[in-house]
């Protein structure tokens, strides 16, 4: 089904929508040319890349709650939880953090451990395949320690079942022997805090989700917050920058601190080589990012392709997810979790029961004039 619709979707415009076929303006031609050249670097991917896991990324991580920029609501909730737990001399309640990649979930888990003055053990669900992996971690926790499990929606069922009593009553139930002679033994654990992180909160089973005392969502950052993050990072990296330069990078960073830091490093390289150490200002930042094919509002090849398929092949939509996935070569899940949240956030895409619709802002961004029929669809 998906394959059939993809064939139909890609090179041939939908005949039904042919009457609203978009007229190309010069800007549209430029955007098509840009989208033809897929950026070799994937600069705008919010996922971690090799460079991000190295030392520079670590040095940019804020260490304490007061250095953590943005996410005001989350910080407020956690500051109260920390203060209350400390006053009662108890560990923090279990916490589930969810939201798109690169928004600061791991950073927040490390900050919580620092604020509570406990150790943080970091792992990820795919590394906990066998029951003994999680048991080994749990029995070695010291009182109050924080256990951080990334991608927690990917836990195996057995591992998850071991976690239930661990989270609720600080114990694990271990079955010894097999068949009729099997016996269950209960092993006490130290009180600990589980911090789970996920990009897909909907994929968590409800028994697991219900065991978290705090469930918090991370939001995309505003331009002024990203500007502040970039100014802070530039200071740590010893890079002269003006605030209009930081704002220009921020506008292209898809609301994501990890991307903001990555773009800053690219602009820094550019300035070092082409402008021998000048301070980064708006013009230099724009010039450098243009060269790296980063669109003025941070759209990359896949975003532009998604929008251009909806607009050019389907007269603005609605278009099904399968069709969009096939036309971009990404799987449905990546489109839904990585690309769509930002396009929805900046108001370029709408999800309707019949499929995805490009908004007039998206038409304009790609250099097209939205037709009247499309405007009425959105009213
Ligand atoms: N609030 C913030 N203030 C300043 N810098 C931040 C903030 N949040 C994140 N960062 C920066 O962004 C980088 C990415 O953050 P982090 O690794 O915590 O994201 P994540 O949500 O865990 O991503 P993933 O889902 O891929 O694991 C950090 O190294 C840090 O430098
Ligand atoms: Mg992380």
């Amino acid at each position: 089904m998906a394959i059939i619709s993809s064939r139909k979707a890609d090179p041939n415009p939908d005949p039904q929508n042919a009457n609203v076929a978009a007229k190309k303006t010069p800007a549209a031609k430029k955007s098509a040319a840009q989208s033809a050249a897929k950026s070799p670097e994937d600069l705008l991917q919010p996922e971690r890349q090799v460079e991000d896991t190295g030392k520079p990324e670590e040095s940019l991580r804020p260490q304490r709650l007061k250095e953590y920029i943005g996410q005001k609501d989350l910080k407020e909730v956690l500051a109260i939880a920390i203060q209350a737990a400390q006053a009662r001399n108890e560990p923090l309640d279990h916490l589930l953090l969810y939201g798109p990649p690169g928004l600061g979930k791991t950073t927040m888990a490390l900050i919580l451990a620092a604020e509570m003055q406990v150790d943080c053990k970091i792992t990820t669900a795919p590394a906990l395949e066998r029951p003994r992996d999680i048991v080994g971690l749990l029995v070695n926790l010291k009182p109050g320690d924080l256990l951080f499990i990334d991608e927690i929606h990917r836990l195996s069922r057995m591992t998850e079942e071991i976690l239930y009593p661990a989270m609720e009553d600080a114990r694990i139930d271990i079955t010894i022997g097999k068949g009729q002679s099997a016996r269950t033994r209960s092993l006490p654990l130290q009180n600990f805090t589980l911090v789970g992180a996920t990009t897909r909160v909907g994929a968590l089973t409800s028994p697991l989700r219900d065991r978290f005392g705090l469930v918090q969502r991370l939001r995309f950052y505003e331009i002024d917050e990203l500007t502040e993050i970039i100014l802070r990072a530039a200071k740590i990296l010893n890079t002269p920058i003006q605030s209009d330069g930081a704002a220009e990078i921020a506008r292209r960073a898809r609301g994501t601190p990890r991307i903001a830091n990555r773009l800053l490093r690219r602009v820094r390289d550019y300035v070092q080589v082409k402008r021998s150490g000048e301070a980064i200002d708006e013009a230099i930042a724009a010039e450098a990012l243009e060269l790296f094919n980063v669109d003025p509002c941070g759209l990359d090849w896949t975003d532009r392709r998604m929008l251009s398929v909806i607009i050019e092949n389907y007269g603005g939509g609605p278009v099904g997810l399968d069709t969009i996935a096939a036309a971009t070569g990404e799987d449905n899940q990546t489109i839904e979790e990585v690309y769509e949240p930002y396009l929805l956030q900046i108001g370029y895409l709408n999800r309707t029961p019949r499929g995805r619709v490009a908004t007039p802002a998206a038409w304009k961004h790609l250099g097209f004039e939205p037709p009247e029929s499309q405007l009425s669809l959105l009213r």
Side-chain angles (χ1 to χ4, degrees), residues 29 95 244 268 299 314 332 336 340 365 368:
K29 286 187 193 130
L95 164 70
D244 63 349
R268 178 173 78 141
L299 303 194
Y314 289 89
N332 292 20
E336 275 195 301
E340 286 189 347
H365 186 73
F368 297 117

Side-chain angles (χ1 to χ4, degrees), residues 100-294:
L103 296 192
K105 298 183 287 295
T106 306
T107 306
M108 185 50 95
L110 291 166
I111 287 178
L112 289 178
E115 296 287 343
M116 294 294 292
Q117 296 173 312
V118 294
D119 284 346
C120 183
K121 294 253 156 42
I122 298 186
T123 185
T124 162
L128 302 174
E129 212 171 293
R130 298 160 308 175
R132 74 169 122 126
D133 299 324
I134 184 77
V135 170
L137 269 173
L138 289 170
V139 298
N140 283 313
L141 292 174
K142 297 186 297 304
D145 272 0
L146 197 147
L147 174 63
F148 176 70
I149 306 183
D150 214 350
E151 297 185 64
I152 196 158
H153 61 277
R154 293 175 63 184
L155 282 180
S156 69
R157 228 193 67 210
M158 280 209 292
T159 304
E160 217 180 289
E161 279 170 10
I162 293 170
L163 272 179
Y164 297 158
M167 291 172 77
E168 247 167 6
D169 307 318
R171 66 176 166 85
I172 43 179
D173 299 322
I174 306 176
T175 310
I176 303 160
K178 276 193 180 144
Q180 280 202 324
S181 61
R183 272 170 300 127
T184 307
R185 264 193 55 200
S186 198
L187 206 73
L189 299 171
Q190 301 293 350
N191 278 320
F192 70 103
T193 301
L194 179 68
V195 178
T198 179
T199 49
R200 302 182 60 200
V201 72
L204 247 69
T205 63
S206 54
L208 183 59
R209 201 172 49 234
D210 294 347
R211 281 172 172 79
F212 286 97
L214 291 161
V215 177
Q216 292 290 314
R217 170 176 164 195
L218 279 87
R219 297 171 187 284
F220 283 114
Y221 290 69
E222 302 291 338
I223 306 287
D224 57 342
E225 295 165 345
L226 286 173
T227 306
E228 208 182 317
I229 289 174
I230 293 164
L231 289 171
R232 175 181 173 274
K235 207 165 161 192
I236 297 171
L237 295 172
N238 255 330
T239 302
I241 190 167
Q242 288 174 13
S243 47
D244 63 349
E248 183 59 30
I249 300 175
R251 279 192 286 277
R252 300 181 187 226
R254 309 175 67 89
T256 308
R258 175 175 293 134
I259 298 177
N261 288 340
R262 190 182 298 149
L263 295 184
L264 170 65
R265 281 196 288 264
R266 293 291 73 78
V267 177
R268 178 173 78 141
D269 290 352
Y270 179 85
V271 170
Q272 193 182 320
V273 174
K274 298 267 188 191
R275 300 294 193 102
S276 61
E278 266 178 61
I280 299 169
D281 63 13
E282 186 175 341
I284 295 177
E287 194 178 295
L289 293 174
E290 210 67 54
L291 182 75
F292 290 116
N293 226 345
V294 178

